Amino acid sequence: MFTKLLGVSVGLILSVAGVAPGADNMPTKFTIRIENITKPDAFTATTGVKWSLGFSPGVMVVHTDKGPIFSAEKEDRGQGLEAQSEDGDPGMLAKSLQGGKGIKSVAVFNTPVGASAPGPITPGAAYEVTISAMPGDRLSLTSMMGQSNDWFYAPVESGIPLFENGKPISGDITSQIILWDVGTEVNQEPGIGPDQGPRQKAPNTGEAENGVVRNAKDVKYGPAFSKVSSVMHVTIKPAQAPGAN
Ligand SMILES: [Ca+2]
Ligand SMILES: [Ca+2]
């Protein structure tokens, strides 16, 4: 019996032609941490009102497709990114991505580390999400800039490659996160706009923009907020070895 099993495993090793058994066939687990590094009342509006910045629940997507969520300079696809960006609600987006072409997994993150209920990450708080991926896979994530009309944080539309030369990436990936305007609601001054997340009378309230997805550095009020590394810290950590923990 034992000999027979050995025979089977030898056969498997030969069939992958010199590749170490296990190492390249097992998914790697990664933990991604999104931290709000702002301070309470860090911002002052032109009216003198002080305000704090929060980031909303979002989705974490592992994919092979080069643009599963949006295309820069194109109209929003109407698959839930609007509700994510205007109301901080990732539910519809997650649902529409699930099972799509080139999508390997979709995870909603909505509960801050140490919290017992879903909510935004306020100054000092963080989300942590664990995903599994194989070489060739990419990572996309979305979260609303909570004091905007329709701004979301995400990497470029093709996502972040999770492996480089077959090795899992590790460390600070904040520089790959961009603040985008989804182009569905006209911008008001961040922190005080009456139709923005914390102040609007109901979800999906505000003047329609009929625009395209643009880097926020190119839109009204955007340049002052497009330096993501001054408000957010995003890190990724692979498990020590494939299959470990
Ligand atoms: Ca807008
Ligand atoms: Ca609104």
Side-chain angles (χ1 to χ4, degrees), residues 58-201:
V59 291
M60 195 72 69
V61 184
V62 177
H63 56 95
T64 53
D65 189 84
K66 292 287 176 65
I69 301 176
F70 67 95
S71 302
E73 303 300 325
K74 296 259 163 60
E75 247 180 72
D76 174 49
R77 299 173 187 173
Q79 293 173 342
L81 185 58
E82 179 176 356
Q84 165 76 95
S85 310
E86 292 185 7
D87 309 320
D89 178 0
M92 179 183 165
L93 181 62
K95 220 171 174 179
S96 68
L97 290 171
Q98 205 94 47
K101 181 179 154 282
I103 307 280
K104 298 185 84 171
S105 68
V106 180
V108 167
F109 54 89
N110 59 15
T111 305
V113 175
S116 54
I121 45 172
T122 51
Y127 292 119
E128 272 187 12
V129 190
T130 300
I131 56 153
S132 287
M134 304 280 284
D137 288 348
R138 297 164 170 276
L139 176 74
S140 285
L141 63 90
T142 59
S143 174
M144 178 189 179
M145 191 282 204
Q147 294 277 4
S148 72
N149 295 82
D150 61 342
W151 293 353
F152 67 101
Y153 296 96
V156 290
E157 65 200 49
S158 57
I160 299 168
L162 285 163
F163 294 80
E164 276 168 12
N165 303 318
K167 292 211 171 67
I169 61 166
S170 179
D172 190 334
I173 52 170
T174 312
S175 66
Q176 300 196 59
I177 306 298
I178 296 164
L179 180 61
W180 301 91
D181 182 318
V182 75
T184 53
E185 186 171 313
V186 173
N187 298 339
Q188 298 166 326
E189 184 183 335
I192 56 170
D195 297 319
Q196 292 164 351
R199 287 163 297 279
Q200 63 183 353
K201 291 194 183 72

Side-chain angles (χ1 to χ4, degrees), residues 196-213:
Q196 292 164 351
R199 287 163 297 279
Q200 63 183 353
K201 291 194 183 72
N204 196 24
T205 301
E207 189 185 341
E209 184 172 20
N210 300 312
V212 296
V213 179

